[in-house]
Amino acid sequence: MPRRTPPRSWPTSPPRRSARSAEDQRFVAQASELLASSLEYERTLANVAALAVSEFADWCAIDMLEPAGSLSRLAIAHRDPEKVQLANELAEKYPPDSDAPYGVPNVIRTRQPELFSEISDELLVQATAETPELLQLLRELGLRSSMCVPLVVRDRVLGAITFIAAESGRRYDERDLITAEDLARRAATAVDNALLYREAQAARREALDSLAVVDAIFAAAPVGLAFMDANFQYVRVNEALATINGLPAEEHLGRSLRDVLGDELAHTIEPYHRHVLETGEPVLDLAVEGRTAAAPGETRNWLVSYYPVRDATEQVIGVGVVITDVTERERARAAAEAAGARLSVLAEASQRLAGSLDYESTLASLARLLVPRFADWYAVDVVDGSRFRRIAVVHKDPAKEEWAKKSMELFAPERRELEGTARVARTGEAVLYREVSEELLAASTLNEEHHEVLRQLGMASAMCVPLTAGGRTFGALMLVSADPERLFGEEDLDFAKHLGRRAAVAVDNARLYRETERRARAALVVQHVADGVLLVNTEGVIRLWNPAAEQLTDVPASEALGRQAAELFDDWESIAQLAESDEHRPVTQAVKVNGRELWLSITAVRDLTEERAVETLKSDFVSTISHELRTPLAAIYGAALTLRREDVILGEPQRTGLLEVIASESDRLARIVNDVLWVSRLESDRLRTTIEPCDAVEIARNVVDAARQYIPVSIKLALTTPTGAVPPVAADADKIRQVLTNLVENAVKYSPDGGRVTVEVVTVGPRLRFTVSDDGLGVPPAEHRRIFEKFYRLDPDLTRGVGGTGLGLYISRELLERMGGRIWVESSGAGGSTFVAELPLAD
Ligand code: ADP
């Protein structure tokens, strides 16, 4: 289409110029008022357009430039609504061409106003060149004059306003254009203000929305969040952090770190805060371990980060704290690590155990795998006859070596103990002492010194597992934690049980191997002797047939072994009878084997191990007793002989002296015999105790009164009892009397001249305690346990010059144990000793 830039303006005529100008000014003033009245610019502009058609134009259209560059009609106004509708339809049907050389697109593009004072028919024809059907319509509308002004503000085009004069016959001129431009400027400013306001509103709404989101996240986040100002004071704290700190969120506000967390923790945290505040650098993912006020007994793990918080000017105004609880993750990791470590220890332990036949030192060397990783100390006990032998005690702390040694040498467990090794050996079951209380410790130790040894080694948690092989428990392993923070649980016990099982199997194998070796060596000897040797078991089956026997009988071992002896030997019956007799010496007998006559030397072979042990015990007993009996007998015999002599004239004092010797030594003899009878009764379990409530003070008084009758006058014997009533003790009165008498006799016996012996009765918790103290020789700590063993005497050779059987304390201990009591000695080895006997109170 040929383009023709229309003239910038057409010449105008000036009819009624001044009156119109006044009207126009009024119109502009009214329009300005309208524009200022509301921020809803769409409606205001439409109102302005409506105002324009009554005052300033026949038509007024307002078009806005959309952000995408297209035009949209905001308003079109005419007095006649039908014409408005027609105009709208036309605008829809014939949208403006954005490249059009005049009209709204041109004004928007060039930002220059357009004025057509006179709309000629020629112009109409030109404008409808591409839509000729419009021409007639436009002609009918009678368009006479038009102005189009851009809406420009802050260098931005917002749209354009078009004024058209038609039926009024008005013609616009330059002055009208100035008015129109003035109005357009005001309108543009109003639109701009409205838009700015809307943007601000939207921004504010957006900010509020995002703040609400942040608030919601802050409150509900499972991680602990806090904002602290530059003075280390809490400004905001979420629930999760409040829980960790054990203080309601609102109580944090305005309080300082030191106030809430205490000096120690604040001392650790403040440097991080300071670092963040001073450098503006974050501190990320610090691993922190601690406890919360909410669960003080439980150690938890957190990852803590500190971030700088800045204001709008980028100034660091505080510290953001983010705390993530990673306890579960840490626990899972630690559990997996521990399981792995346990497995590798088990594997290594098995290897060690299998690799050595010296199981005792191997069991001891397991300590290196277990301490300090799994336990703070470790002990191994093995059953040795009727007692335990402690073969190792290893503590992680070398400074405790002396105590470990004490535990090993002096305090091997005893069968009669209720807990620990003794219990495990009795039941064959492992035990876990998750938390070892002071009471448990006190109840499972035999005396104060034993208690002290365990206290020094530390016993916060312990487990004891049996070493069982072939259905027999031959020892126990004990793992102990000295740290109340490390308490053993079921998993640890499982591990220890595994270890115990493997150790037991290895030990059993080693024993079997040794036994087999021993037998193999014995068999080897038999193989090489020149005598024919054969062994027949109780079923009459030949189990051994040596090469010499093969030669002598001409029967090969392969034929003899496993056969009934009766099949090989004629008249085996009579030979078997000889073997079964109690005769231990070899018996020689003629036999016929394989048609040959041979002389057979027959010996009954028995497993003598057990019998021999009993024999040894018996002979020990007999020799001790004979020794003890011989001393008083010799004195009696000597005195009697002297009295009988006729060649010596004895004065009255000598006679009385000799008779006294006879009397006192007889007394001693009777006592020895009495002790032996007691031992025999105790050992054969023929002893009966009648437990009933007894008056401990009365018994003690009886014993002390009786003792005063015979003790040397130089020795002071005193009884101390509580001032108030003493509850009755559950025991057998005769047996307590016997124990007390023995303790008092010992105290007197081992006291120096002028010594002082004190008997005291006190109640300690649910127990009654008798103590007998002297200031005599004392008992060295290393002997504290042994003196309670049968026949044990510190001074068997009587270098101290005091005789005895070494049975009194043994009998006392046994009697007390049968009444549910116990006995121990407290003494440093010099300056006297205190024997303590304890019994339960009657309910
Ligand atoms: P004994 O007949 O030898 O006194 P006991 O069994 O009564 O036998 O005592 C065992 C050992 O304990 C004694 O031989 C002695 O060495 C020691 N003993 C017992 N009581 C005392 C004491 N009060 N002071 C020092 N040593 C004692």
Side-chain angles (χ1 to χ4, degrees), residues 6 81 84 96 105 118 126 175 345 400 405 465 481 500 503 514 534 588 614 673 759:
V84 169
E118 177 73 50
Q126 209 178 80
R175 298 181 82 171
V345 164
K400 302 278 182 178
K405 206 161 153 233
V465 294
S481 163
R514 275 193 202 167
L534 57 118
T588 313
V614 175
V673 170
V759 177

Side-chain angles (χ1 to χ4, degrees), residues 675 742-743 746-750 774 776-779 787 789 792-795 800 803-810 833 835:
D675 277 359
N742 180 37
L743 293 181
N746 276 355
V748 170
K749 192 159 77 173
Y750 297 103
D774 62 58
L777 298 165
V779 181
I787 55 169
E789 284 170 17
Y792 195 82
R793 311 198 58 227
L794 286 186
D795 181 24
R800 291 168 168 203
T805 54
L807 291 174
L809 288 180
Y810 166 75
S833 28
F835 282 81

Side-chain angles (χ1 to χ4, degrees), residues 23-24 26-27 30 50-57 79 170:
E23 277 168 24
D24 293 348
R26 202 174 53 241
F27 158 63
Q30 280 179 353
L51 188 68
V53 294
S54 61
E55 307 283 340
F56 194 57
R79 250 192 230 112
R170 181 167 175 166

